[in-house]
Amino acid sequence: MLTEPATTTAPALRRAAGSRSRTARRAPWLAATAVLAACTALGTRAVSDPSPWLHLRVARALMDGQRFGSPDPWSPFTSRAFLPTEWLPSVVAELGYQVAGLPFLAWLRCLGILALLLATTWSARAVAGRTVSLLCATSAVAGAWPGLTERPQQVSFVLLALTVGAWWRTAADLRPRWWLVPLTFLWACSHGLWVIGIAVGIPVVLGLALDRRLDRRQTLRLMAVPALSTLAAAVTPLGPQLLLTPLTYRANGSEFVQEWQATSPREPHAALVLLVVGAVVLLWARSGRRPGWWQVLLAVTALASTLAMNRLVPVGAVLVAPLLADALQQHTGRRAEPARPAEWRGLAALVLAALVVAAPVAAHVAQRPTRVPLGLASRLHGIPAGSVVLDDDDLSGWLLWSQPQLVPVVDIRSEVYSAAWLRRYVTATTAAPGWREFVRDTGARYAVLRTDSPLTGALGARLGWRTLGQDRGYTLLEAP
């Protein structure tokens, strides 16, 4: 009488345990599929950023054999030579555009988002399990989201995630990852944030030295990686002058470009990254385990990057992701299971499937861009070649690309203009005292400006400029 229930319930218990085991094995893959589907759905959209037009124009010029120097081939108002630091992804975008048009740029953006998710997962996987790593990678993508547009900076974020993951593995086994040197060469051909990739290694090596885990020989070997990476950046096709570009960009960027200005913690993406940094510190405090100095320095670097400028919030998001993964994994009290090749093959297959789905979606939603006055294109094309145009800076990339025969007063290459010229331009757009003199000095006979711009009203009401057309919030005017 007492043994019968045990006999009948044992198979049921084994079936229940087997069902729970299968559910546990499937859960990470279901979560990965859901995250990839969300990133694909949200990331495949019409081209809306003002920058890709400039990159297409630069690529077209380079492929035609044009070289940049002084005087600038596009504008007589510049004071510095333009250095095409993002030439490699620009050429890739132009080649794809020639085949598939604007949908290729939309698809390329989706590719960058999924690549960032995968690279950040790999970075966190050095210290955490599958589910925790995916969670932390998702938080990094969310924190970086405003910067994940149709621009070469996406390459920087992906390569940064790979670089961070490499240094975490170096912190574990003290072996230098020499492949970071050619990676930096590729990075320096793609975007200006290659400097951040080199800078990541320095606090790691310094922290390991403070933790007394390195002798002098090991320290020199590890420091050779950022040193050789700097040398690699100096031997790209742009040469050693590339090393000085961060200073050149910073000069005007901090005053005139919003993304180069200090971050407001009230911005949702910045608040999310700061919340993650705070969570890491809280988990460290609750665990009673003192983190290594190299981890502390990485956390400080992530915090400083996030607060320094809007442009670097994604950098903070990528830097803090493995810190959160490590802290969460430690909090569980379990060792992370090692990643197997089958896991990466499965994730790669999911990403490939997402990209296949994204292609027809991009073809459907991205045939026409947003935020540019396509309705004014024919009238702009009718303006005599060589005419100077008072332009809105956000529209200048599209103007350079779609109307190469025209000469904009300014464009989004802010680093090539003097600060004095940009200040006069900003003053003129508000119709503040001095705007008439600026218009006169440019020699402009046409203007394409936001309809609600004070300068648009001033040109019409005070100087008698007539309206030639309006579209999508922009007005085209001609001088009398």
Side-chain angles (χ1 to χ4, degrees):
M1 294 293 292
L2 295 177
T3 58
E4 184 176 352
T7 302
T8 57
T9 57
L13 291 174
R14 285 195 295 269
R15 286 193 298 271
S19 177
R20 286 194 297 270
S21 177
R22 287 191 297 272
T23 302
R25 288 196 300 269
R26 292 172 181 170
W29 293 108
L30 293 174
T33 302
V35 171
L36 286 168
C39 288
T40 304
L42 296 173
T44 309
R45 67 182 189 193
V47 174
S48 59
D49 193 276
S51 296
W53 312 108
L54 173 65
H55 300 305
L56 292 176
R57 174 73 191 276
V58 169
R60 185 191 304 167
L62 293 175
M63 292 166 67
D64 289 341
Q66 188 176 75
R67 294 295 178 263
F68 296 92
S70 295
D72 187 82
W74 298 346
S75 173
F77 306 112
T78 61
S79 59
R80 303 182 187 93
F82 173 62
L83 198 64
T85 56
E86 300 163 342
W87 64 269
L88 182 56
S90 297
V91 169
V92 171
E94 171 63 18
L95 291 173
Y97 174 81
Q98 292 177 6
V99 175
L102 289 179
F104 179 77
L105 300 188
W107 182 85
L108 208 58
R109 174 179 186 260
C110 183
L111 170 62
I113 293 171
L114 298 183
L116 177 60
L117 180 69
L118 193 61
T120 312
T121 300
W122 177 80
S123 176
R125 199 66 177 85
V127 290
R130 286 184 293 176
T131 303
V132 171
S133 296
L134 180 64
L135 171 67
C136 297
T138 303
S139 73
V141 171
W145 193 263
L148 301 181
T149 61
E150 306 88 358
R151 298 169 62 181
Q153 66 186 21
Q154 278 198 317
V155 177
S156 275
F157 303 146
V158 174
L159 297 185
L160 175 63
L162 295 176
T163 300
V164 171
W167 280 108
W168 270 82
R169 286 160 173 80
T170 290
D173 60 19
L174 305 183
R175 292 168 49 201
R177 266 58 185 183
W178 299 113
W179 54 265
L180 288 174
V181 177
L183 184 79
T184 302
F185 178 89
L186 175 66
W187 195 343
C189 294
S190 302
H191 192 258
L193 285 181
W194 59 269
V195 178
I196 301 294
I198 293 175
V200 166
I202 296 175
V204 173
V205 177
L206 178 60
L208 290 172
L210 291 174
D211 290 331
R212 299 188 178 183
R213 294 180 55 196
L214 301 176
D215 57 29
R216 182 177 180 180
R217 180 174 175 275
Q218 290 173 313
T219 301
L220 292 175
R221 275 174 58 83
L222 294 185
M223 284 302 296
V225 175
L228 290 174
S229 296
T230 304
L231 181 62
V235 298
T236 66
L238 296 180
Q241 61 182 332
L242 183 66
L243 303 181
L244 300 178
T245 53
L247 301 177
T248 305
Y249 280 76
R250 179 69 176 173
N252 282 344
S254 58
E255 183 175 355
F256 301 106
V257 183
Q258 183 178 7
E259 68 177 21
W260 285 78
Q261 295 171 1
T263 307
S264 169
R266 297 178 181 177
E267 293 290 336
H269 63 293
L272 173 62
V273 178
L274 294 175
L275 181 65
V276 172
V277 174
V280 169
V281 174
L282 180 62
L283 287 169
W284 282 348
R286 293 192 61 180
S287 70
R289 178 182 65 91
R290 188 182 74 82
W293 274 111
W294 65 275
Q295 293 172 303
V296 173
L297 292 178
L298 279 181
V300 171
T301 304
L303 179 63
S305 299
T306 303
L307 294 175
M309 62 180 75
N310 287 299
R311 180 182 178 85
L312 297 184
V313 172
V315 171
V318 172
L319 286 174
V320 79
L323 288 169
L324 178 63
D326 180 58
L328 286 174
Q329 191 66 43
Q330 294 289 336
H331 184 70
T332 65
R334 299 190 300 270
R335 291 177 59 89
E337 73 280 7
R340 293 181 171 84
E343 178 182 333
W344 297 117
R345 287 196 298 269
L347 284 174
L350 287 175
V351 169
L352 181 60
L355 291 173
V356 170
V357 171
V361 174
H364 176 70
V365 303
Q367 290 291 343
R368 293 171 63 87
T370 61
R371 302 182 184 178
V372 293
L374 295 177
L376 298 178
S378 60
R379 290 186 177 273
L380 286 166
H381 191 68
I383 295 176
S387 297
V388 176
V389 179
L390 278 167
D391 61 309
D392 182 89
D393 57 336
D394 276 348
L395 194 62
S396 60
W398 177 78
L399 196 64
L400 283 170
W401 175 78
S402 66
Q403 310 297 330
Q405 79 281 5
L406 302 181
V407 180
V409 167
V410 299
D411 63 74
I412 54 178
R413 301 174 300 158
S414 61
E415 73 277 7
V416 302
Y417 295 92
S418 69
W421 181 260
L422 293 177
R423 290 191 193 101
R424 292 188 67 192
Y425 168 78
V426 171
T427 298
T429 59
T430 62
W435 71 269
R436 292 174 184 261
E437 292 77 9
F438 180 79
V439 173
R440 181 197 63 214
D441 292 347
T442 65
R445 301 286 300 168
Y446 298 88
V448 55
L449 299 164
R450 295 184 187 275
T451 302
D452 59 359
S453 168
L455 181 57
T456 302
L459 289 172
R462 303 181 193 178
L463 296 185
W465 288 43
R466 66 187 184 95
T467 297
L468 298 180
Q470 293 182 333
D471 187 50
R472 296 196 181 185
Y474 289 95
T475 298
L476 176 63
L477 302 105
E478 182 183 17

